[in-house]
Amino acid sequence: MLSLIVTWRDRDELTRALPSMLASVDSVNGELIIVNFGGDAQRLDAQLKNSADRVRVISGPPQRYFHKAVANNLGAHFAQHALLFFCDCDIILPEGLVSALTMRVLASPGHFATLAGVRETETNSRGGQHVVSFGYQLDIKTADGRRLRIVDNEEDATDGTRQAPGLLFVRKDDFHRVNGYNGQLHGWGWEDQDMISRLTLGAGLTRINEGHALHISHDDVGRIAAYPPVSSRWESRDRMFRTALANYDDANFMGSFGKDCVNYADFTDSVAVHGGLE
């Protein structure tokens, strides 16, 4: 029913998040896929411990940098179920959330879903001082009459809440309609919003935005260290947004799924390697 896809590269937060992920996929007879994109295999094995036989690990040769969009596409390539849930490795999912959103999306053709928000495990983890919260609203209207609105904000220093555009539920056939994530966007900060934009403006889908989870707090080193070097995460986000907006202006709403599957064909499935899949 559901393939839960998590991308990973040397992030220890997975240890805390894993039990809730396994419980969530069990509740819908689903599967958990972890895409190790250039991380330390032994470090991942240590986090999976006794749960290794309940997880499909996709891995390949060493990679210079982490690439979340490509890793998500590879996870979707190996996914066996009709509904995909893309989730970060530092998210603790509450009981009942995944099953509820799974049923909601499967019962709602023409829709996809994102979680409405997360709460940090450490309030004011971003170190806000006088400015306790800030955010933005993106509005786009295209020549064919389609409209997009994305509201996003950084963590509120008073209660630890923020939006969660990267926690995405989408039918596999709708995912393929826009050719998956866009590997042209390499870095931190816009590949998630880009997927929402292309599903809305390109595929004409309607977004469901509900449900909350916990985000395991960490600093910006954990966010951007594995990506190509930038002066700050804001530099990365701005560059990716400008690239994406130029694509939309060209009426180009396609990702790079097909190309990524060819270019990274040397990534393999641990279950298949050990004879667990036909």
Side-chain angles (χ1 to χ4, degrees):
M1 184 178 294
L2 175 79
S3 295
L4 196 166
I5 298 167
V6 176
T7 59
W8 183 89
R9 177 161 171 158
D10 296 341
R11 295 288 298 276
D12 293 331
E13 294 90 347
L14 179 63
T15 300
R16 293 176 61 187
L18 184 63
S20 71
M21 293 175 178
L22 290 170
S24 294
V25 295
D26 286 348
S27 71
V28 292
N29 296 317
E31 62 177 350
L32 175 58
I33 296 173
I34 296 177
V35 182
N36 178 2
F37 199 88
D40 184 332
Q42 292 184 342
R43 188 171 180 175
L44 178 57
D45 288 344
Q47 294 184 64
L48 297 180
K49 295 181 180 178
N50 297 330
S51 300
D53 61 344
R54 302 171 62 191
V55 178
R56 296 174 62 193
V57 176
I58 311 302
S59 58
Q63 303 294 321
R64 183 177 183 185
Y65 297 118
F66 180 64
H67 199 319
K68 184 181 176 183
V70 170
N72 273 336
N73 281 340
L74 294 175
H77 173 68
F78 286 95
Q80 295 180 308
H81 294 285
L83 184 65
L84 309 176
F85 173 30
F86 296 94
C87 183
D88 293 339
C89 68
D90 51 12
I91 298 296
I92 298 175
L93 299 165
E95 183 179 356
L97 172 68
V98 169
S99 58
L101 278 174
T102 294
M103 299 305 175
R104 177 81 186 276
V105 175
L106 289 178
S108 306
H111 291 72
F112 67 98
T114 56
L115 266 65
V118 295
R119 185 183 299 275
E120 295 289 335
T121 55
E122 300 175 16
T123 302
N124 196 23
S125 64
R126 66 178 177 85
Q129 300 180 64
H130 188 62
V131 176
V132 297
S133 71
F134 67 96
Y136 64 86
Q137 178 172 300
L138 173 67
D139 290 286
I140 295 178
K141 179 182 177 182
T142 56
D144 57 2
R146 289 179 175 170
R147 293 178 178 269
L148 168 74
R149 172 168 293 179
I150 295 178
V151 178
D152 202 359
N153 68 277
E154 291 301 302
E155 178 201 355
D156 189 314
T158 62
D159 63 12
T161 58
R162 61 178 175 83
Q163 268 79 34
L167 307 181
L168 170 73
F169 289 75
V170 61
R171 292 168 179 261
K172 187 185 289 185
D173 56 353
D174 288 329
F175 177 86
H176 286 301
R177 287 175 62 189
V178 295
N179 201 27
Y181 283 84
N182 186 1
Q184 182 186 15
L185 306 181
H186 191 189
W188 180 91
W190 195 258
E191 74 287 335
D192 299 326
Q193 291 90 338
D194 174 69
M195 193 64 176
I196 293 171
S197 301
R198 291 185 295 108
L199 288 170
T200 302
L201 299 174
L205 304 183
T206 299
R207 180 184 179 189
I208 298 168
N209 196 38
E210 62 183 47
H212 294 79
L214 282 176
H215 175 260
I216 301 170
S217 301
H218 55 80
D219 59 20
D220 275 359
V221 173
R223 287 187 174 89
I224 66 174
Y227 288 111
V230 290
S231 60
S232 74
R233 58 181 167 132
W234 306 112
E235 176 189 341
S236 175
R237 172 181 277 191
D238 181 67
R239 183 185 67 244
M240 293 167 70
F241 168 69
R242 291 174 184 273
T243 299
L245 187 60
N247 288 339
Y248 310 155
D249 199 34
D250 288 336
N252 176 9
F253 300 104
M254 302 303 288
S256 59
F257 174 83
K259 181 174 70 174
D260 293 341
C261 291
V262 172
N263 290 343
Y264 294 86
D266 46 5
F267 273 69
T268 59
D269 183 343
S270 62
V271 176
V273 167
H274 292 93
L277 290 176
E278 296 181 358

